[in-house]
Amino acid sequence: MSQPMEIHWTRRAFVAAAGAAGLSSLASRYAPASRAAGARLYAAASDGLGALPGSGAVHSIAVEDHRCVLLGAFACERPTAFAMHPTLPVLYVANDCATWQNRPRATVEALALAPDGTPSHSLARLPLALSALAPRSLAISADGRYLLVSAFEGGAWNSFSLDGNGIPAPNPAALKEVGSGSRLPGQSAAHPHSLVAVDSGDSSLFVGSDYGADRLSLLEAYADGVPGYESGLLAIRRRHQLPAASGAMHLALDPQSGLLVASSQLRPALHTFRIAREPGPALAPLQSLPLEFAPSALAFHPRAGILYVTHIAAGRTTLTLWQMAGGSRPFYRLGEQALPAGTATSLAVQADQLWVGGSAGILGLALDPETGRLTGSRMRSFYVPGVAALLVHPTPA
Amino acid sequence: MAVLINRQDPRFEALKKGHNMRFPGDSSQAANRLLLCASPAEAEEALKAVVGAGLRPTVRSGGHCYEDFVANNPGGAILDLSLWNRVDHDGGVYRVAPGAMLGEVYTSLYKRCAVTLPAGTCYNVGAGGHISGGGYGLLSRLHGLTSDWLTGVDILTVEANGRVVARHVDRRHGADLFRALRGAGGGSFGVITDFHFASLPPAPREVAEASLTFPWDSLTEDQFAQLLASFGDYWATRGRDPETWGLFVIFVVGPRTPNGHLAMYTQFCQPDGAATDQSVLYEFLDRFQQFNPSGPRRATGKSAAEAQQHAVTVRPWFDATIAGGASGDFIRAKYKSAYMKQTFVPAEAQAIYRFFSNGSRAAQSSVLSIDSYGGAINRPHLAAETAISQRDSIMKLQWQCYWRDEAEDAEHLRGMDEFFTSVYSGSHVDASHQGTPWGDRYEGCYLNYADCDMLRYPWWPQLFHGRGDLYPFLQRTKAQYDPNNIFHHAMSVRSA
């Protein structure tokens, strides 16, 4: 494991660097750019550049071989989670707003993407069901027909049906959950947290974690054909109960093996599952790995079978790499690395780059594209404070 | 087993809505199913099924909710308890099921036991929502609010793990929840399946009724202000005397049109339930002779009492209560409310006068009902025992606007909102709470006259639940008895 590079990843360092470089340099560095190749990194930040104070923005960053360019910021109220439509240039953002038209309802927004991958305009902004607040995760079914939202406060999953242009229909189907009954703080009620979509052929399947109820749920969104009600329905197909008072939270799905990893926070652990298809969808547990610290984010390498896990202790973030090994004990620990200042809350992975987002901004760590291991070179940073979510997506050539 | 009515059922279109035709807003906002429950057991089974399926339950008794709290429930389920309408007297306790309409309650209690509830005037309002939101009516100055008489409630709650629990709460069991159910409104804590009353006031034998009308079109702004002030003065002074508590008056102000009239409707009985000594009523009527009423008036050479004698009707209380008590024509409507602790000031009268004189479609469709209040309602200890904090008011105002065409929704809603805001804007209202009945003169709004316009003010919970410790108490109670927030609507108790 290589040693971390010494980068002072703070607001003061950023401002000092900007001053040293001169305003013209700063302007050129952050001027809108129009590049076609590479990937686009999206960061949801609550108080970032280009946003109104106290509001938020979606920052678009062009990621290329030799440099990264901040393309722009699209004002967006308290963005907390992303999802990209599987086939359309539409980015979905969850807004962690306390009210919508004075009702307790968070919202989701569909943003049209310009050819350069930057959000160009809002296609729709719609409220979640009444009392569905604090959205933490978005996922779109593999068939592109449904957008699912977790409402941490309000204890519900919301499902929006998407039309052919990716625009959500109003009045989502809501599935209200109940908690575990644990007396631990935060578990007196259900708290749906993370979502991943499962490619399951004809059906629109998702896995969701529930912090308040210590469980994972297989959810299916479907059309019911009820006249006058276009939102479809949402149903629980299967549950998997984690140990009591464990606090299920983050999810990551390995695109190669299809294995699902769930973290638990109150009793820190990584729980690994195989998603069984027959006779019906189910979660088959493979392994539970106790951890010393609760993970703050999880992500898989797209092809190397590496799971990246961050945790925060004493105000600092540590990144741990877990290598997939197969069999009944699918992971072993590869190593860990302390990261510079800031607390990491989100991860996004390309084959050759791991992006870490958090309180102090975005940090890019170079990866060996074949092994997924850190190369120890070319650490990059962006000062976008208060990053709540990251998403990386290849841009069309 | 509850009767299930889904969207394919031919009854669905008729039953998906309540009396206010604004809701559900459109088909996609309607519930996907209704469960008609005819017993507590059916309600319990229905609630288990709804919670188990992850659906949002909303609860309906009579269907008179003024806002969208019940009928707008996209994809959810309405538990309709209108078939559970039993009223009886068993083991020394009066029991009223939530689905009983007030007219049925009055009739049954009167015929079986010669007692009554001090509840509302509308015959077909359901007991469930009315009582849990406080409930008041023509006997409330004499006997207090409906919920003041509650001694126990049967309720279904949902625990943290989703288990449905049937509870009986009273002063000794679940005292916090019991207090919350005495006025904090329906739809926040669970499904009420029975109300218990250890005692109830005797039904009056008879009541004296009279009405006064005033020529509205010829009334100047100043005269109108004097009339309102005179009306309010009575309740702020003489109306506080227990001798007058049997007097209830509704002063109705409507559009100021040619040949239009303002009207006061009065009902009186003595504390003993008779109406033989009508001096309190006459004294009240006499106050308004200076405004040239076209109702009971003095005749030359006769005393006021003699002159009015022929215009005052005495009839059995039961007849007066049951006759003409229907309401809730299926129509689009908007309502607002305010509690007043003092009489009207000129600025309020001016705003009311100008609205009803402006000829707008909203004004033509609206009435402002100014009800007498106070009396037994204002016994101080009740604020701490119940979930109604407004115990100092002398009048309660209800704004009402009615129309039929959906295309006129925005115009009427805006008109009512602007009217209400204008009445509570100015130096008579606390500077930082303009637009709302807040300050020394007011006690906020009545939850059963729910008004979602108030949600735009961060202090809306204090408007409806008072500025003291009631709302924090309700939040704690909510967290304890409905930790998953299964029961919620736009104005339900929210987490702290």
Side-chain angles (χ1 to χ4, degrees):
Chain A
M1 204 68 165
S2 59
Q3 294 299 310
M5 296 171 66
E6 286 301 320
I7 292 178
H8 301 289
W9 193 32
T10 64
R11 180 183 183 90
R12 178 180 297 174
F14 173 82
V15 174
L23 289 176
S24 59
S25 171
L26 181 68
S28 64
R29 188 179 175 192
Y30 288 93
S34 179
R35 308 295 294 232
R40 292 293 178 264
L41 178 66
Y42 301 98
S46 59
D47 194 15
L49 299 174
L52 295 172
S55 179
V58 172
H59 300 264
S60 305
I61 299 164
V63 178
E64 297 161 3
D65 284 344
H66 301 293
R67 65 172 190 157
C68 295
V69 179
L70 184 61
L71 299 176
F74 191 93
C76 194
E77 185 176 1
R78 295 178 62 84
T80 55
F82 285 129
M84 184 71 75
H85 194 282
T87 57
L88 297 169
V90 181
L91 178 68
Y92 301 88
V93 185
N95 309 108
D96 188 6
C97 48
T99 58
W100 167 261
Q101 295 181 347
N102 301 315
R103 267 70 165 179
R105 306 172 79 169
T107 64
V108 293
E109 194 162 8
L111 305 178
L113 297 180
D116 70 352
T118 59
S120 60
H121 62 279
S122 176
L123 294 168
R125 185 177 177 190
L126 295 169
L128 304 187
L130 189 69
S131 296
L133 294 168
R136 290 289 179 266
S137 184
L138 297 177
I140 298 181
S141 59
D143 57 15
R145 295 173 60 197
Y146 295 99
L147 168 68
L148 238 67
V149 189
S150 68
F152 190 79
E153 300 297 339
W157 309 104
N158 279 204
S159 172
F160 290 89
S161 62
L162 303 178
D163 70 11
N165 296 314
I167 298 175
N171 298 315
L175 198 152
K176 178 82 177 166
E177 295 277 32
V178 295
S180 67
S182 156
R183 293 179 182 274
L184 288 174
Q187 290 207 307
S188 62
H191 291 298
H193 191 278
S194 294
L195 280 163
V196 293
V198 178
D199 190 356
S200 55
D202 293 339
S203 56
S204 300
L205 273 184
F206 303 83
V207 179
S209 66
D210 191 325
Y211 178 84
D214 300 318
R215 69 184 168 221
L216 306 180
S217 299
L218 269 164
L219 301 123
E220 183 178 3
Y222 61 102
D224 69 341
V226 173
Y229 189 68
E230 299 170 352
S231 299
L233 295 177
L234 186 58
I236 301 291
R237 292 300 179 220
R238 203 64 70 90
R239 302 277 205 196
H240 181 84
Q241 200 69 35
L242 292 178
S246 55
M249 190 169 273
H250 302 292
L251 297 175
L253 194 61
D254 181 13
Q256 291 295 306
S257 66
L259 292 184
L260 175 78
V261 175
S263 72
S264 54
Q265 307 302 109
L266 298 173
R267 296 166 66 175
L270 294 175
H271 309 274
T272 309
F273 301 86
R274 180 172 54 83
I275 301 177
R277 313 283 176 177
E278 300 295 336
L283 296 174
L286 298 178
Q287 184 186 30
S288 287
L289 281 169
L291 300 175
E292 186 177 359
F293 299 102
S296 63
L298 310 177
F300 268 104
H301 190 273
R303 57 177 183 256
I306 298 277
L307 176 69
Y308 306 93
V309 180
T310 54
H311 73 258
I312 301 165
R316 294 185 66 87
T317 297
T318 299
L319 172 70
T320 305
L321 277 63
W322 296 83
Q323 175 70 58
M324 183 182 295
S328 61
R329 298 181 62 80
F331 290 102
Y332 65 87
R333 187 187 189 105
L334 202 57
E336 69 177 35
Q337 180 170 349
L339 299 182
T343 53
T345 55
S346 54
L347 295 172
V349 194
Q350 300 168 253
D352 61 352
Q353 197 82 33
L354 172 66
W355 299 99
V356 184
S359 59
I362 304 167
L363 184 68
L365 302 167
L367 301 176
D368 181 314
E370 299 306 318
T371 67
R373 299 187 182 202
L374 299 174
T375 65
S377 64
R378 292 181 55 224
M379 187 179 286
R380 321 187 219 195
S381 67
F382 279 89
Y383 184 67
V384 178
V387 171
L390 289 175
L391 185 149
V392 66
H393 192 260
T395 48
Chain B
M1 181 177 291
V3 176
L4 170 64
I5 295 180
N6 58 27
R7 284 179 177 250
Q8 286 85 1
D9 192 292
R11 295 166 289 184
F12 181 79
E13 284 303 311
L15 298 180
K16 70 179 183 184
K17 60 187 186 304
H19 286 260
N20 191 338
M21 295 295 283
R22 288 171 54 210
F23 313 115
D26 58 41
S27 182
S28 68
Q29 296 185 61
N32 266 3
R33 70 202 68 184
L34 297 95
L35 291 150
L36 310 185
C37 308
S39 71
E42 288 187 1
E44 184 172 347
E45 288 306 306
L47 182 59
K48 285 178 181 174
V50 169
V51 172
L55 301 177
R56 174 192 171 205
T58 53
V59 188
R60 184 167 76 190
S61 50
H64 279 77
C65 183
Y66 281 1
E67 287 285 2
D68 66 353
F69 303 165
V70 177
N72 275 9
N73 183 0
I78 296 176
L79 270 62
D80 182 310
L81 277 77
S82 57
L83 297 177
W84 174 229
N85 59 355
R86 181 266 289 120
V87 179
D88 70 6
H89 186 218
D90 183 57
V93 174
Y94 303 97
R95 297 185 302 180
V96 176
M101 293 187 291
L102 295 184
E104 296 172 332
V105 175
Y106 297 140
T107 300
S108 185
L109 292 176
Y110 181 77
K111 290 184 175 177
R112 291 168 188 255
C113 309
V115 298
T116 190
L117 268 180
T121 55
C122 301
Y123 185 103
N124 55 4
V125 163
H130 185 75
I131 298 174
S132 56
Y136 86 111
L138 303 186
L139 294 179
S140 286
R141 277 176 41 82
L142 187 60
H143 293 305
L145 301 176
T146 317
S147 56
D148 294 346
W149 288 83
L150 266 177
T151 51
V153 178
D154 293 343
I155 183 171
L156 303 169
T157 60
V158 181
E159 297 199 323
N161 62 6
R163 191 166 68 98
V164 173
V165 178
R167 302 175 185 272
H168 174 82
V169 295
D170 55 30
R171 289 177 192 270
R172 290 177 298 166
H173 309 93
D176 44 5
L177 180 57
F178 175 59
R179 181 190 172 193
L181 297 173
R182 298 177 75 186
S188 278
F189 300 100
V191 181
I192 291 172
T193 55
D194 248 324
F195 296 103
H196 297 245
F197 303 88
S199 64
L200 286 172
R205 184 172 69 245
E206 59 192 6
V207 291
E209 299 172 302
S211 61
L212 290 174
T213 58
F214 305 90
W216 192 190
D217 56 338
S218 61
L219 214 58
T220 67
E221 196 170 291
D222 285 345
Q223 289 170 328
F224 178 68
Q226 290 168 25
L227 177 59
L228 281 188
S230 184
F231 182 77
D233 280 343
Y234 179 86
W235 306 112
T237 55
R238 174 68 169 135
R240 294 184 188 276
D241 188 332
E243 183 188 17
T244 72
W245 289 3
L247 176 64
F248 197 95
V249 183
I250 304 173
F251 184 4
V252 179
V253 183
R256 187 163 165 266
T257 55
N259 302 315
H261 289 81
L262 300 171
M264 289 181 195
Y265 302 97
T266 68
Q267 177 178 292
F268 174 75
C269 70
Q270 300 146 218
D272 65 0
T276 49
D277 179 357
Q278 299 161 10
S279 56
V280 167
L281 176 60
Y282 295 150
E283 176 193 345
F284 175 83
L285 297 172
D286 265 351
R287 279 184 163 248
F288 299 96
Q289 294 303 317
Q290 61 178 304
F291 297 101
N292 191 29
S294 53
R297 71 176 65 223
R298 291 177 187 276
T300 304
K302 292 184 177 179
S303 70
E306 289 171 329
Q308 291 162 356
Q309 195 78 41
H310 70 281
V312 174
T313 303
V314 176
R315 59 173 168 164
W317 167 84
F318 184 67
D319 290 357
T321 299
I322 297 302
S327 72
D329 186 18
F330 291 91
I331 196 168
R332 309 180 81 81
K334 174 65 184 174
Y335 306 88
K336 292 174 171 294
S337 66
Y339 286 101
M340 295 185 65
K341 294 164 67 178
Q342 300 175 26
T343 189
F344 290 91
V345 296
E348 293 168 320
Q350 180 186 71
I352 296 168
Y353 186 94
R354 292 183 180 181
F355 172 75
F356 283 116
S357 301
N358 71 20
S360 69
R361 191 145 53 181
Q364 298 296 316
S365 310
S366 300
V367 293
L368 173 61
S369 174
I370 306 166
D371 292 359
S372 55
Y373 206 70
I377 298 168
N378 288 351
R379 287 180 290 217
H381 69 280
L382 290 169
E385 291 181 6
T386 70
I388 293 286
S389 67
Q390 293 89 353
R391 300 289 181 176
D392 287 316
S393 289
I394 55 167
M395 290 179 286
K396 179 145 79 175
L397 278 56
Q398 182 180 193
W399 277 254
Q400 305 165 57
C401 185
Y402 302 100
W403 66 100
R404 294 191 180 279
D405 188 349
E406 181 179 355
E408 297 176 3
D409 279 9
E411 180 181 358
H412 286 99
L413 294 173
R414 185 177 61 250
M416 283 291 278
D417 195 17
E418 291 174 353
F419 173 32
F420 186 87
T421 303
S422 71
V423 173
Y424 299 108
S425 297
S427 59
H428 56 292
V429 178
D430 183 87
S432 57
H433 297 86
Q434 290 284 301
T436 63
W438 180 285
D440 294 341
R441 310 185 58 79
Y442 310 103
E443 279 193 304
C445 308
Y446 178 37
L447 194 62
N448 269 2
Y449 297 161
D451 175 11
C452 285
D453 290 346
M454 297 295 103
L455 291 172
R456 68 171 175 261
Y457 302 109
W459 59 92
W460 73 264
Q462 287 70 44
L463 280 172
F464 288 90
H465 299 290
R467 286 173 262 178
D469 64 356
L470 177 58
Y471 194 64
F473 163 79
L474 295 173
Q475 290 178 302
R476 292 193 300 274
T477 305
K478 170 79 170 177
Q480 181 178 352
Y481 290 96
D482 184 24
N484 290 292
N485 197 24
I486 296 289
F487 302 97
H488 61 267
H489 54 73
M491 295 179 70
S492 58
V493 176
R494 297 184 188 174
S495 60

